Amino acid sequence: MKVKSVGVVGLGGMGGVHIAGWQRLGVDVHGYDGLPEARARARDERGVTVHDDMESLLGAVDVVDVCTPTDAHHTVALAGIRAGRHVICEKPLTRTLAEADELIAAAREAGVQLHVAQVVRFFPEYAAAREAVVAGRIGTPAVLRLTREGGMPAGDRWYHDQARSGGIICDVMIHDIDFARWIAGDVVRVYAKTLRPAGPQGAHTHAYAILTHASGAISHLTASWARLKAPFRTSFELAGSEGMLDYATDQRPAVRTAPPELAFAGGWPTAEDPWAAELREFLAAIEDGTPPRVGAEDGRAALEIALAAVESAETGRAIELPTDESDTNLGTTTASAEVTSA
Ligand SMILES: NC(=O)c1ccc[n+]([C@@H]2O[C@H](COP(=O)([O-])OP(=O)(O)OC[C@H]3O[C@@H](n4cnc5c(N)ncnc54)[C@H](O)[C@@H]3O)[C@@H](O)[C@H]2O)c1
């Protein structure tokens, strides 16, 4: 099918990023937000065709793109699926695992595609590192160190409510959880510590987690909203049996290798807009069936690990994850399919 129009639901920060991406791809953008002022802004400043309710939007578009706060993903995505629309959803796929399972089953039943915007797989340095790992350049991945740190989202927003956002682990660390799984495969055990301000609703603001992969590899993840008024930064260090890749957003050159001859002959890729790249890939999946590099099942797996990390932080126990056949195969199946097509 040719996608003519997309309906972005939730016209806040991420909604704006998606609108810009769709407009660059030449797709007609419609929008809906519960707040009239957000609708007016999208119409007046971005040229979006806005609707006063979801029904009207669903009647006008081929694809629904969910950019609401996390706790509304399930309801909005399910409405899109039930109306027979393909759905793209911001990360985390949903707030709970039961909601994720319901969405995946509903999409399968309705015969529509469901995509999750785990955007880190589309950042050129992260994508190139993954390509290098799959090509065997560092040997077998053994120790991963991943960080993602910035200030707390400003204002008294839904991010600050643990029940709505899932805190720093479900909102921020989930990016690196997905990346760790993409590099080293499925996770069987999680242990985490968090910092949480006083009060029943205060979201976890800083987290450290250790993931044990089925392969035996270990990932150390740090995610933080504690870098007050300092620039947002991310980093990875991927150590394997034959070498190492490391990268930090505040470091040049972009990706370093040890030993240096591990580097690709052509050097590392230059920057491209990862959000536009992910939307382009989802569009291709819907239009001609080309599988994207990340699927809804990957979004579910990342959420399962994130929720286990939250549980670990709250109970003080390490959490074991189920390792049934489909779970164990997921990361590696995706990996080999991509190597062949690369
Ligand atoms: N991939 C990334 O890099 C990235 C970055 C930031 C946020 N996010 C994700 O994007 C999502 C949105 O985050 P944000 O920062 O744009 O939030 P935001 O608060 O800036 O915007 C959310 C908008 O959704 C609207 N809204 C709330 N409930 C709604 C509903 N039921 N129907 C329609 N509109 C509704 C709000 O009025 C608001 O305008 C979150 O899931 C977040 O985790 C992803």
Side-chain angles (χ1 to χ4, degrees), residues 9-15 32-35 38 67-70 72-73 76 90-92 117 119 157-159 171 175 275:
V9 182
L11 303 170
M14 240 16 230
Y32 169 69
D33 192 293
L35 289 178
C67 294
T68 61
T70 299
H73 287 186
V76 175
E90 256 307 334
K91 47 51 62 180
V119 74
R157 301 175 69 193
W158 60 272
Y159 284 105
D171 195 73
H175 285 297
W275 289 276

Side-chain angles (χ1 to χ4, degrees), residues 15-331:
V17 173
H18 284 226
I19 289 166
W22 288 121
Q23 288 175 335
R24 235 169 292 145
L25 291 169
V27 176
D28 189 19
V29 185
H30 293 240
Y32 169 69
D33 192 293
L35 289 178
E37 54 270 34
R39 298 200 292 270
R41 230 178 7 250
R43 182 192 60 217
D44 299 344
E45 295 173 14
R46 298 178 177 275
V48 171
T49 306
V50 295
H51 297 257
D52 290 341
D53 55 58
M54 270 294 286
E55 265 191 357
S56 163
L57 176 112
L58 289 172
V61 299
D62 303 315
V63 173
V64 172
D65 181 3
V66 185
C67 294
T68 61
T70 299
D71 59 331
H73 287 186
H74 171 257
T75 308
V76 175
L78 199 57
I81 290 168
R82 289 193 172 146
R85 305 293 176 254
H86 300 291
V87 170
I88 293 164
C89 187
E90 256 307 334
K91 47 51 62 180
L93 180 57
T94 51
R95 181 63 187 84
T96 71
L97 217 49
E99 290 173 345
D101 287 337
E102 193 182 354
L103 283 193
I104 290 170
R108 199 170 290 139
E109 197 177 316
V112 299
Q113 294 185 21
L114 173 65
H115 298 289
V116 63
Q118 291 285 171
V119 74
V120 166
R121 295 192 189 208
F122 298 85
F123 274 71
E125 295 83 1
Y126 286 76
R130 145 82 183 194
E131 219 177 284
V133 170
V134 169
R137 284 169 186 270
I138 65 163
T140 307
V143 181
L144 280 51
R145 293 181 197 278
L146 310 172
T147 70
R148 192 162 294 271
E149 304 169 310
M152 187 80 190
D156 181 20
R157 301 175 69 193
W158 60 272
Y159 284 105
H160 300 222
D161 183 337
Q162 180 74 15
R164 298 194 65 194
S165 70
I168 190 80
I169 292 176
C170 292
D171 195 73
V172 176
M173 186 182 276
I174 197 160
H175 285 297
D176 288 316
I177 290 174
D178 176 58
F179 184 62
R181 200 176 149 269
W182 203 33
I183 295 292
D186 283 314
V187 170
V188 295
R189 193 165 197 264
V190 183
Y191 180 73
K193 298 294 273 184
T194 55
L195 191 70
R196 184 176 197 159
Q201 291 177 336
H204 296 165
T205 55
H206 181 91
Y208 175 66
I210 303 172
L211 314 183
T212 308
H213 296 264
S215 67
I218 292 178
S219 292
H220 302 256
L221 276 56
T222 306
S224 190
W225 278 325
R227 271 172 64 81
L228 297 181
K229 299 185 180 160
F232 179 71
R233 71 174 181 205
T234 78
S235 69
F236 63 71
E237 187 184 292
L238 313 178
S241 53
E242 309 292 329
M244 201 177 94
L245 304 172
D246 85 89
Y247 166 72
T249 48
D250 51 3
Q251 152 194 308
R252 293 288 177 269
V255 180
R256 292 185 312 199
T257 64
E261 52 275 22
L262 276 179
F264 285 166
W268 294 89
T270 50
E272 61 166 340
D273 176 355
W275 289 276
E278 79 179 341
L279 296 179
R280 192 167 41 246
E281 217 165 283
F282 296 151
L283 189 63
I286 292 167
E287 291 194 334
D288 59 34
T290 312
R293 71 190 75 178
V294 60
E297 293 282 358
D298 297 311
R300 183 211 185 269
L303 179 67
E304 183 177 39
I305 297 164
L307 293 172
V310 172
E311 186 184 345
S312 172
E314 290 185 344
T315 61
R317 289 189 290 110
I319 306 297
E320 309 285 337
L321 291 168
T323 52
D324 65 34
E325 189 69 11
S326 57
D327 275 357
T328 311
N329 283 335
L330 199 61

